[in-house]
Amino acid sequence: MNRPAPVDIAHHAHLSGMFAPQRDEVDVRDLEVEGHLPDLEGSYLRNGPNPRFDPIGQYVYPIDGDGMVHRVALSGGTARYTNRFVRTPQVVAEEKAGRALWAGITDPYFPPADEVGSDLANTMRELPDINVVRHGGRLLALAEAAPPYALGSELETLGRETFGGALPVGLTAHPKIDPHTGEMVAFCYMLDAPFLTWSVFGPDGAVVRAATPIDGADRPLMVHDMALTETYIVLILAPMVFDLEKIFTGASPLDWQPELGVRIALVPRDGGAVRWFSTDTFWMWHTANAFDLPGGDVAVDYVEWRYPGALTEHDGPNPSLLRRAVIGRDGVTRTTLHDRDIEFPRIDERLWTDRHRVVATLGRSGSQRLPSGSADALFWFDVDSGADTVWSGGTLSPGEPVYLTSTSGAGYWGSIATDFTDLTSWFLVFSADDPGAGPCARVRLPIRVPAGLHGTWVPSG
Ligand SMILES: [Fe+2]
């Protein structure tokens, strides 16, 4: 196949306006703060798709794009912002060439050896652009189902992380850290048997369980997130099937096959036999949390879609609701916790594997027309009382809310938001006690931060 034509970025919804790639890399201290920064000592980090050069071929949001990690470091009431590209070998080669060499991952085009050298010829673009996690002394920029990239203290790229060869295929972008044991638990899907594996990292980052096949996984499925209880890894397998033959016909390799239904795997963390369950078809990107129930059942809170919106040709209403599935003796029982359209559910992650009450999410106020994939509100749902709290951003479009812990033990929520009208970006801090009151502090960021994906809070020390 010939080299694909450039994408018309000016007319691409996810490459223009708030989504336009940011090419500047800066490091600016003593940022202007409106309001009062509480006693937060640490760094908020966020990853997201940010193509290094204007793309060629297809650009499919949110699965294409290079990674850029943004950091807002808070200390003594001051704020510093730093951002860096995640420099994969493909990004480094493109920087040398001064232009995009790889196409989108749904394009059947691989740059030839005379353009990129024999080592990189016929490789896919690596995409560690989804999430950023700190565990066991490593700071990792994470891809969907591939090796992550380790970052240094100044966000410089240290290189591809295979954990001493124990995870050559990589891991999910959404591993979970057990706050009780300090372990990080991950899964990874792959296109060939065994299709799904799981792995465990000790609190020091050492691999204590190398990639272990999940018995009963029977086909290559796209699985974006997982949940963790004290006893189980919870994997919700929606019928988004990889069909690699399709890529050579110019079609997406992802094939939505709703007739297959959803399978759920409870994988015992002690290595016991996998328990499999079935339920009606839905699509899920993200979980909020899961926990064990008395009697051996499991509850998992997650965002349920009817079908995987942007990745299919499917048409029709597609609400994204916070739901709870109870899995166990009575099979799978799904109920709606809140009926607002939301995504990016997060909790205070010190409660991962335990019962939680508050789930924070991105959402839409309903009062204005918004660009595809953007939000203008944050919601906090109390899943016990049913109460919800709303903050409408007006012209500010927030990103995923992340729980921040302060040195005094008080809780806050942090989010990067960009103003639709002037494309200025802000780091917003909300008190977890009264988030509906709006931000208690707004940090003016020195450059526009493109709308992105997932982040994390790393306390200092
Ligand atoms: Fe995600």
Side-chain angles (χ1 to χ4, degrees), residues 8 44 59 74 98 128 139 168 238 254 258 278 289 297 302 354 369 375 409 412 457:
D8 178 6
Y44 165 85
Y59 183 81
L74 304 175
L139 182 61
L254 287 165
S278 298
N289 186 35
D297 293 353
Y302 65 99
D354 288 325
R369 244 179 98 83
Y412 296 87
W457 169 247

Tab-separated table of all heavy atoms in Angstrom, residues 8 44 59 74 98 128 139 168 238 254 258 278 289 297 302 354 369 375 409 412 457:
chain	number	residue	atom	x	y	z
A	8	ASP	N	-7.060	15.635	7.229
A	8	ASP	CA	-7.447	17.057	7.223
A	8	ASP	C	-7.738	17.470	8.675
A	8	ASP	O	-8.877	17.403	9.137
A	8	ASP	CB	-8.684	17.230	6.337
A	8	ASP	CG	-9.176	18.673	6.316
A	8	ASP	OD1	-8.492	19.552	6.904
A	8	ASP	OD2	-10.244	18.912	5.724
A	44	TYR	N	-0.277	15.763	40.131
A	44	TYR	CA	-1.365	15.229	39.313
A	44	TYR	C	-0.777	15.005	37.923
A	44	TYR	O	-0.153	15.910	37.336
A	44	TYR	CB	-2.522	16.230	39.250
A	44	TYR	CG	-3.520	15.922	38.154
A	44	TYR	CD1	-4.559	15.018	38.363
A	44	TYR	CD2	-3.398	16.505	36.897
A	44	TYR	CE1	-5.453	14.715	37.350
A	44	TYR	CE2	-4.290	16.212	35.886
A	44	TYR	CZ	-5.317	15.310	36.117
A	44	TYR	OH	-6.188	15.013	35.118
A	59	TYR	N	-7.378	8.742	11.505
A	59	TYR	CA	-7.118	9.070	12.908
A	59	TYR	C	-8.401	8.763	13.668
A	59	TYR	O	-9.415	9.455	13.507
A	59	TYR	CB	-6.724	10.542	13.082
A	59	TYR	CG	-6.384	10.863	14.526
A	59	TYR	CD1	-5.123	10.563	15.039
A	59	TYR	CD2	-7.340	11.411	15.379
A	59	TYR	CE1	-4.824	10.820	16.374
A	59	TYR	CE2	-7.039	11.676	16.714
A	59	TYR	CZ	-5.781	11.380	17.199
A	59	TYR	OH	-5.473	11.624	18.525
A	74	LEU	N	2.262	20.166	42.871
A	74	LEU	CA	1.811	21.108	43.901
A	74	LEU	C	2.684	20.962	45.131
A	74	LEU	O	2.956	19.846	45.591
A	74	LEU	CB	0.351	20.807	44.275
A	74	LEU	CG	-0.643	20.807	43.106
A	74	LEU	CD1	-2.021	20.381	43.595
A	74	LEU	CD2	-0.714	22.178	42.440
A	98	GLY	N	10.989	14.615	10.727
A	98	GLY	CA	10.236	15.874	10.727
A	98	GLY	C	8.823	15.751	10.223
A	98	GLY	O	8.174	16.752	9.894
A	128	PRO	N	1.362	4.378	23.928
A	128	PRO	CA	1.268	4.497	25.391
A	128	PRO	C	0.679	5.846	25.786
A	128	PRO	O	1.303	6.660	26.472
A	128	PRO	CB	2.727	4.351	25.837
A	128	PRO	CG	3.514	4.896	24.687
A	128	PRO	CD	2.725	4.604	23.432
A	139	LEU	N	7.162	4.955	37.110
A	139	LEU	CA	6.112	5.797	36.550
A	139	LEU	C	5.902	5.308	35.123
A	139	LEU	O	6.843	5.331	34.313
A	139	LEU	CB	6.531	7.264	36.564
A	139	LEU	CG	5.489	8.257	36.047
A	139	LEU	CD1	4.217	8.217	36.897
A	139	LEU	CD2	6.063	9.668	36.035
A	168	PRO	N	6.346	-9.696	28.098
A	168	PRO	CA	6.753	-9.226	26.783
A	168	PRO	C	5.596	-8.667	25.966
A	168	PRO	O	5.785	-7.800	25.119
A	168	PRO	CB	7.336	-10.491	26.128
A	168	PRO	CG	6.747	-11.628	26.882
A	168	PRO	CD	6.527	-11.139	28.274
A	238	ALA	N	-17.144	-7.828	26.621
A	238	ALA	CA	-18.189	-7.471	25.661
A	238	ALA	C	-17.769	-7.985	24.276
A	238	ALA	O	-16.586	-8.206	24.019
A	238	ALA	CB	-18.390	-5.965	25.648
A	254	LEU	N	-12.029	-4.143	14.211
A	254	LEU	CA	-12.923	-4.390	15.337
A	254	LEU	C	-14.331	-4.669	14.822
A	254	LEU	O	-14.890	-3.898	14.051
A	254	LEU	CB	-12.940	-3.169	16.259
A	254	LEU	CG	-11.668	-2.977	17.081
A	254	LEU	CD1	-11.615	-1.581	17.668
A	254	LEU	CD2	-11.573	-4.032	18.172
A	258	PRO	N	-22.998	-8.405	18.553
A	258	PRO	CA	-23.894	-8.400	19.729
A	258	PRO	C	-24.550	-9.747	19.989
A	258	PRO	O	-24.957	-10.022	21.128
A	258	PRO	CB	-24.922	-7.311	19.386
A	258	PRO	CG	-24.811	-7.098	17.909
A	258	PRO	CD	-23.417	-7.434	17.525
A	278	SER	N	-22.616	-15.342	32.193
A	278	SER	CA	-23.091	-14.730	30.941
A	278	SER	C	-24.225	-13.766	31.233
A	278	SER	O	-24.989	-13.966	32.187
A	278	SER	CB	-23.626	-15.813	29.984
A	278	SER	OG	-22.591	-16.696	29.641
A	289	ASN	N	-15.270	0.465	40.425
A	289	ASN	CA	-14.707	-0.314	41.537
A	289	ASN	C	-15.499	-1.614	41.625
A	289	ASN	O	-16.573	-1.750	41.035
A	289	ASN	CB	-14.853	0.470	42.858
A	289	ASN	CG	-14.154	-0.219	44.020
A	289	ASN	OD1	-13.095	-0.830	43.839
A	289	ASN	ND2	-14.740	-0.140	45.200
A	297	ASP	N	-20.513	-13.615	46.512
A	297	ASP	CA	-20.863	-12.841	45.327
A	297	ASP	C	-19.936	-11.626	45.207
A	297	ASP	O	-19.228	-11.264	46.151
A	297	ASP	CB	-22.315	-12.363	45.391
A	297	ASP	CG	-23.305	-13.516	45.319
A	297	ASP	OD1	-22.871	-14.659	45.080
A	297	ASP	OD2	-24.507	-13.258	45.526
A	302	TYR	N	-19.847	0.110	37.143
A	302	TYR	CA	-19.206	0.335	35.847
A	302	TYR	C	-20.118	1.214	35.007
A	302	TYR	O	-21.278	1.443	35.361
A	302	TYR	CB	-18.937	-1.009	35.140
A	302	TYR	CG	-20.212	-1.738	34.782
A	302	TYR	CD1	-20.733	-1.687	33.489
A	302	TYR	CD2	-20.942	-2.431	35.760
A	302	TYR	CE1	-21.925	-2.308	33.167
A	302	TYR	CE2	-22.132	-3.053	35.443
A	302	TYR	CZ	-22.626	-2.993	34.153
A	302	TYR	OH	-23.821	-3.591	33.853
A	354	ASP	N	-12.748	-2.293	48.221
A	354	ASP	CA	-13.693	-2.170	49.338
A	354	ASP	C	-14.978	-1.494	48.851
A	354	ASP	O	-15.020	-0.935	47.767
A	354	ASP	CB	-13.092	-1.299	50.456
A	354	ASP	CG	-11.979	-2.000	51.193
A	354	ASP	OD1	-12.073	-3.232	51.359
A	354	ASP	OD2	-11.014	-1.321	51.591
A	369	ARG	N	-24.828	22.751	23.395
A	369	ARG	CA	-24.288	21.790	22.430
A	369	ARG	C	-22.791	21.703	22.623
A	369	ARG	O	-22.109	22.712	22.744
A	369	ARG	CB	-24.561	22.290	21.000
A	369	ARG	CG	-25.471	21.406	20.200
A	369	ARG	CD	-25.677	22.007	18.827
A	369	ARG	NE	-24.777	21.358	17.858
A	369	ARG	CZ	-25.075	20.218	17.271
A	369	ARG	NH1	-26.188	19.592	17.541
A	369	ARG	NH2	-24.233	19.698	16.391
A	375	ALA	N	-17.147	17.257	27.602
A	375	ALA	CA	-18.098	17.361	28.706
A	375	ALA	C	-18.118	18.808	29.193
A	375	ALA	O	-17.210	19.589	28.899
A	375	ALA	CB	-17.665	16.445	29.833
A	409	GLY	N	-4.973	14.851	55.395
A	409	GLY	CA	-5.926	13.753	55.279
A	409	GLY	C	-7.224	14.153	54.602
A	409	GLY	O	-8.058	13.299	54.309
A	412	TYR	N	-9.715	15.858	48.078
A	412	TYR	CA	-10.028	16.831	47.022
A	412	TYR	C	-10.191	16.071	45.715
A	412	TYR	O	-9.811	14.910	45.606
A	412	TYR	CB	-8.909	17.878	46.908
A	412	TYR	CG	-8.785	18.717	48.160
A	412	TYR	CD1	-7.981	18.288	49.228
A	412	TYR	CD2	-9.498	19.901	48.305
A	412	TYR	CE1	-7.905	19.022	50.403
A	412	TYR	CE2	-9.426	20.643	49.478
A	412	TYR	CZ	-8.627	20.203	50.522
A	412	TYR	OH	-8.566	20.928	51.676
A	457	TRP	N	-2.978	10.671	40.827
A	457	TRP	CA	-2.381	11.572	41.830
A	457	TRP	C	-1.251	10.824	42.510
A	457	TRP	O	-1.455	9.706	42.993
A	457	TRP	CB	-3.443	12.001	42.825
A	457	TRP	CG	-2.922	12.716	44.053
A	457	TRP	CD1	-2.951	12.256	45.337
A	457	TRP	CD2	-2.338	14.021	44.105
A	457	TRP	NE1	-2.421	13.190	46.194
A	457	TRP	CE2	-2.027	14.295	45.469
A	457	TRP	CE3	-2.042	14.992	43.144
A	457	TRP	CZ2	-1.440	15.492	45.880
A	457	TRP	CZ3	-1.456	16.185	43.561
A	457	TRP	CH2	-1.168	16.437	44.901
